[in-house]
Amino acid sequence: MNSYFLPAAKPISRLIEELHKLPGIGPKTAQRLAYHLLQAPPEKSRDLADAILGIKENLRLCSVCLNITDSDPCGICSDETRDGMKICVVEEPIDIMPLERTRKFRGLYHVLHGVISPSDGIKPEDLRIKELLDRLGSNSVTEVILATNPNVEGEATSMYIQRLITPLGIRVTRLARGLPFGGDLEYADDVTLSRALEGRQEM
Amino acid sequence: MTSRVYQTEAIIIKRHKFGEADRLITLFTSDFGKVRAIAKGAMRPKSKLGGNVELLSYSQLMLARGRNLDIITQAQAIDNFLPIRDSLELMSAGFYLTELVDAFTEENVEDRELFSLFLNTLKEMAGSSDMERALRYFELRLLSHMGYRPQLQKCANCSRQLEPEANYYSPHQGGALCRECGYPDMSARTISVNALKVLRLWLKCDYATACRVKLTADLSREIKNLMRENIRYLLEKQLKSIEWMDRLNSEQKNHA
Ligand SMILES: [Zn+2]
Ligand SMILES: [Zn+2]
């Protein structure tokens, strides 16, 4: 056990240890949170514990888009105002949120749950690509938008999926690779810059 | 390397998530061989490192010595090999090259010759060069450079001069075998006269000369299998990206 945790009583050090395992929580923060919880009323602790357990008990994958949901199909898939002819393909459920925040996309999603990574031995079968093809086979989808991350694995995954979809006669597009807002032209790498040039738009 | 800050050119051969936004990056540098370093905040979209420390980028780097791992403080891509990134086949070959270089090298062992072989291979692949040829040439030169130069003039077992006929090849014996030695050796496979000639030439010529050799599909496949077996024997494992390259290859053939 790490020396940070030693002086506290056992249940506290156990909590500190668990909190410390969470992303973005350093040992100091873990300690502060643990002592905060120690002083909070018992029902607060119970609410927190319930919320944590709740995400395991009530959540599952949407049977259509494989997003994490508490109702099946998920809120997006069952929303009749959305355009079922467009499917945006993302790597992880967490990628849907930023796209939704833009309010620019009114189609549906498909979550791959990973990317192809030859050097880690992650293959297409390890992802939800088959489910995507099944959706395309049975529905009137006209466009698939590939929104994988702009890194080598993301691009390889997109190129691979594009290869599978193109013969179906469905339009395949991918997100334009642009410059980050608030970024600096000077520091942009040439892949980003050349993709940004390719994706330039009329003003 | 006494000063706290140093500069070097490097090709990025591996990267892993490290904490929330950092990346642990394996570099193959021109000056210090293989080095592992942290790229702080490299996963953030506004990071100045970002695309400059992406896999297969050839970059000018500034590093600071850390207690355990060095830290990349600045990175500027010299060449990102765009044509490689735009092709699934080339990108997959790129994955393979990085895996190969990583598997054959130790950390902190300077190796300028391998660096330039690696860099030239990427440049050739990004240019119009035949990918399979560039890979084979790289594999053969890598083996030779790392001390596993296959014996191709004389029989690796009995030292007899090899006859200009189909002979045998055994990674385990370190090269070609004459008919007498090769036939009973279960680890040996046949090698054609042409394959032997190509490998002999490639061991001593530069890549431009290597390109003048005409390779039929059969000869190309034969050399590919020879190299692959040799590498698998030396590493005692098959590299993961090979399965992926084979798969792409066969899927493309099925489509055509
Ligand atoms: Zn859904
Ligand atoms: Zn012999």
Side-chain angles (χ1 to χ4, degrees), chain B residues 143-160:
Chain B
L143 291 184
S144 164
H145 175 69
M146 299 314 288
Y148 307 108
R149 184 190 176 99
Q151 168 63 263
L152 299 171
Q153 302 296 339
K154 291 183 277 183
C155 170
N157 187 46
C158 72
S159 299
R160 195 185 310 168

